[in-house]
Amino acid sequence: MPEHPTKRITIPSLRARKAVGPKIVCLTAYDFPTAKILDEAGIDLILVGDSLGMVVMGYENTVPVTMDEMIHHTKAVTRAVRRALVVGDMPYFSFHLGADETVRNASRFLKEAGAAAVKIEGATKKRLKLVEAMVEAEIPVMGHVGLTPQSIHELGQFKVKGKDAEEARRIVEDAVNLEKAGAFAVVLESVPLEVAGTVTETVGIPTIGIGAGPRCDGQVLVFHDLVGYTTGYQPRFVRKYADLYGTIGRAVGEYAADVRAGRFPDDATSYHLKPQAVAGAAPERGPGPSGRAKT
Ligand code: KIV
């Protein structure tokens, strides 16, 4: 459990954790009950990631996710959260048309959905200007470098970034530039642990790793991966702490068998008339369709 189980996590308190610890614990959530469980479990940072497109909506990648979908899910999450810092993920094409459009979209996460911050992928020169514009508009921004899943069509496949010296140097530079642009934290996705270690030592803002090894200031995983609520390919960096897919499948199978066999509902799961109403509640018996009274 966290040191202060009820004290709200803020951007300054999160930033302070870089120096004093403990490590920042982050998970994704996309709905009310999950967010409530995570918040009550003391998760510090809840990311309403655009990964919702893949794990909740069944898209092949995160590209189709829209602003309206992100706002809808972020609202559900913030309704449940009392302590954690909620970050909304800027979906693909919510920040590609210029600073005004970016700030307008980012502000929706705060004004409409109740999030405290947004996350944006990438650190090109243009992207850094957008980070500056959002920060200027009082919108706290979390960066995201290394593997950036919204670039899937350009990349061809999800793979580790920063394995060679030039790419590794670029990742460190990207994180440094994001800090300069005003980001309060940076996600490092699918990068060698040595690179993540160098970034963590170099920047003054917390690093949150996913597939980036243990040297980050915090860790994030996709909730559905953690609890085994997905099927198919799992990246090497996932540790599965439960098998919800199997558990739910078994529960649903038992329910179906009980309904078919007449075991559900039973007396305990049915309502009863008040004893004195039993006789009076029977319908008047008129002639049946054949013209004869029913017996
Ligand atoms: O969309 C998401 O869930 C993310 C995390 C994997 C960092 O960006």
Side-chain angles (χ1 to χ4, degrees):
M1 269 314 258
E3 227 175 307
H4 301 289
T6 53
K7 212 168 167 194
R8 188 125 211 165
I9 303 281
T10 61
I11 305 280
S13 70
L14 205 78
R15 290 186 75 142
R17 298 270 283 274
K18 170 119 188 154
V20 296
K23 291 218 181 208
I24 298 161
V25 186
C26 174
L27 277 174
T28 64
Y30 321 101
D31 61 60
F32 182 91
T34 307
K36 194 159 162 49
I37 292 170
L38 302 193
D39 198 45
E40 287 173 3
I43 299 304
D44 302 309
L45 203 156
I46 297 181
L47 172 68
V48 187
D50 64 351
S51 52
L52 88 89
M54 296 174 77
V55 295
V56 173
M57 302 180 76
Y59 296 139
E60 205 175 308
N61 53 53
T62 58
V63 171
V65 177
T66 66
M67 264 309 293
D68 286 345
E69 286 165 347
M70 290 305 303
I71 294 296
H72 176 80
H73 285 270
T74 307
K75 280 181 176 174
V77 166
T78 58
R79 275 181 214 123
V81 170
R82 298 286 166 270
R83 175 184 174 272
L85 189 99
V86 178
V87 179
D89 209 359
M90 296 285 285
Y92 174 70
F93 229 73
S94 64
F95 52 89
H96 297 71
L97 293 179
D100 287 353
E101 177 87 346
T102 303
V103 172
R104 194 173 305 114
N105 280 327
S107 73
R108 290 186 64 195
F109 280 102
L110 276 61
K111 281 177 82 82
E112 286 177 44
V118 300
K119 177 171 83 60
I120 186 168
E121 290 186 11
T124 58
K125 275 204 182 117
K126 256 183 150 173
R127 214 58 59 89
L128 295 168
K129 291 266 171 250
L130 301 178
V131 173
E132 282 171 11
M134 287 187 281
V135 172
E136 167 64 23
E138 335 287 354
I139 301 168
V141 179
M142 185 183 227
H144 182 156
V145 298
L147 174 64
T148 49
Q150 289 172 14
S151 319
I152 180 64
H153 294 304
E154 192 193 328
L155 298 171
Q157 57 174 325
F158 296 135
K159 61 173 191 240
V160 179
K161 298 286 273 184
K163 276 183 142 180
D164 62 58
E166 198 194 318
E167 230 179 46
R169 220 175 7 253
R170 193 164 334 122
I171 290 167
V172 180
E173 264 170 37
D174 283 351
V176 168
N177 289 335
L178 279 164
E179 179 181 14
K180 282 187 190 149
F184 73 90
V186 60
V187 168
L188 306 176
E189 179 162 355
S190 295
V191 300
L193 66 86
E194 297 85 354
V195 177
T198 306
V199 174
T200 303
E201 284 162 19
T202 308
V203 297
I205 54 175
T207 56
I208 312 288
I210 175 161
R215 300 186 192 162
C216 300
D217 299 304
Q219 295 292 328
V220 57
L221 277 178
V222 169
F223 169 78
H224 289 61
D225 291 340
L226 171 98
V227 297
Y229 198 8
T230 45
T231 50
Y233 170 76
Q234 289 276 285
R236 168 195 169 116
F237 59 74
V238 171
R239 186 178 290 170
K240 218 168 116 172
Y241 287 83
D243 172 30
L244 281 203
Y245 204 90
T247 304
I248 294 172
R250 279 188 295 279
V252 171
E254 279 176 36
Y255 162 73
D258 281 354
V259 169
R260 288 180 189 127
R263 289 189 297 266
F264 179 86
D266 57 5
D267 201 57
T269 46
S270 301
Y271 298 106
H272 290 277
L273 273 175
K274 286 182 179 157
Q276 64 273 30
V278 173
E284 290 284 310
R285 302 241 159 112
S290 65
R292 286 192 305 182
K294 283 185 190 161
T295 53

